Amino acid sequence: MTRIVALALAAALVPSAALAEPCPGSPQALGTARVIEVDVKTTPRVGRKHFPTTLPLRAKELVLTFDDGPWPGTTPRVLDALKRECVRATFFLLGRNAEANAGLARRTLAEGHSIGHHTYSHPELNRMPLDKAEAEIDRGIAADEFAVYGHRRTDPVMPFFRFPGFAATQPLLDRLSDRGIVVFGADVWASDWLPMSPEQQLDVIMARIEQAGRGIVLFHDTKQQTAAMLPAFLRALKQRGYRIVHVVPAGIRGALN
Ligand SMILES: [Zn+2]
């Protein structure tokens, strides 16, 4: 697939207006309130846990993100829950998992979610020489792009990246900015790497969201406890008046004009 065809595919899945979309057959669904374009020129790094700035979100607006997938068993449940509520999220794929589960990677895009990158094998990039670290990033991007779009490229269709374990270095951050790739941290995380019941997980993340009031929320779609609590989580957000914002790369809609 050529880059322009890949962009067309991705652009066709991005909502045409930055407004709420109806959720067919589910008027009570949480939905996706609006879409914002994220531009490396204005916001090269976002997420206050790691960087001084984050996305320009209003009170009670959340961006949902999922790392480390796609993973059989859990990612389909996460996608099902999001689809039921017409919620669009961003998935930071691990290259080796995208390679092994390409159908799930394609399904993620086909259901309107944004596809970001998270290296090939999840090493701590701050413990590697710069050239090896960048090669690992590129191997991940190429594997993800091949799984999703059928073309092995290192200039991603959606230039979003998150460091494994948030282990960034300044030279790598600079290099990614130079390449037009936005680095995502997080404003709120679920700590779903710690084993807990789905009920406990729901309590933890809701308490943190209530405290933060807005922001980029980090989950792992590889975790059973997260997949299990997601339907109740999305219902709770609706009941408490939160709104979902979908992030897309700047210019993706205009890429074909
Ligand atoms: Zn990760």
Side-chain angles (χ1 to χ4, degrees):
M1 197 189 302
T2 64
R3 179 175 171 78
I4 203 78
V5 173
L7 278 168
L9 175 61
L13 296 163
V14 171
S16 56
L19 294 169
E21 290 178 282
C23 193
S26 306
Q28 299 309 311
L30 175 59
T32 298
R34 66 185 182 112
V35 182
I36 59 174
E37 295 196 3
V38 181
D39 191 337
V40 74
K41 292 192 209 77
T42 49
T43 49
R45 294 148 204 168
V46 292
R48 287 194 198 278
K49 289 266 195 196
H50 316 93
F51 304 118
T53 56
T54 191
L55 294 170
L57 298 173
R58 302 166 190 150
K60 300 206 109 173
E61 284 189 338
L62 304 173
V63 170
L64 304 187
T65 68
F66 295 88
D67 286 8
D68 293 3
W71 196 248
T74 49
T75 302
R77 292 170 71 192
V78 168
L79 290 173
D80 288 348
L82 296 173
K83 191 179 195 175
R84 210 174 301 127
E85 297 280 348
C86 291
V87 166
R88 290 176 190 249
T90 298
F91 288 75
F92 290 89
L93 306 186
L94 205 57
R96 68 180 178 204
N97 289 347
E99 207 167 74
N101 307 291
L104 272 178
R106 286 194 296 273
R107 178 183 164 190
T108 304
L109 176 75
E111 295 186 356
H113 304 293
S114 292
I115 301 289
H117 306 278
H118 193 50
T119 75
Y120 183 79
S121 60
H122 215 276
E124 292 180 345
L125 295 177
N126 61 346
R127 294 171 180 269
M128 298 168 72
L130 183 60
D131 58 339
K132 283 211 166 62
E134 194 169 20
E136 167 69 29
I137 291 171
D138 283 345
R139 189 181 175 201
I141 291 172
D144 296 342
E145 297 281 310
F146 186 71
V148 176
Y149 309 104
H151 196 284
R152 203 172 287 280
R153 67 166 71 74
T154 54
D155 58 328
V157 170
M158 299 196 197
F160 293 168
F161 179 78
R162 184 180 265 146
F163 280 85
F166 302 109
T169 67
Q170 195 58 49
L172 279 173
L173 288 169
D174 293 342
R175 189 76 190 97
L176 289 164
S177 296
D178 290 346
R179 292 172 58 179
I181 297 174
V182 178
V183 174
F184 279 72
D187 296 304
V188 183
W189 58 49
S191 297
D192 56 356
W193 51 84
L194 303 174
M196 60 185 107
S197 72
E199 294 75 21
Q200 287 171 318
Q201 183 64 77
L202 180 59
D203 289 346
V204 166
I205 191 59
M206 285 310 300
R208 289 179 184 177
I209 284 173
E210 295 280 36
Q211 189 173 25
R214 73 185 78 186
I216 303 164
V217 184
L218 165 63
F219 291 107
H220 293 82
D221 55 308
T222 50
K223 297 296 181 187
Q224 289 284 354
Q225 68 209 42
T226 294
M229 65 101 216
L230 208 62
F233 169 69
L234 298 175
R235 288 283 82 212
L237 294 184
K238 173 76 176 178
Q239 283 158 9
R240 298 189 198 184
Y242 286 92
R243 290 176 302 278
I244 301 299
V245 175
H246 182 207
V247 292
V248 299
I252 195 160
R253 292 188 204 112
L256 303 171
N257 296 339

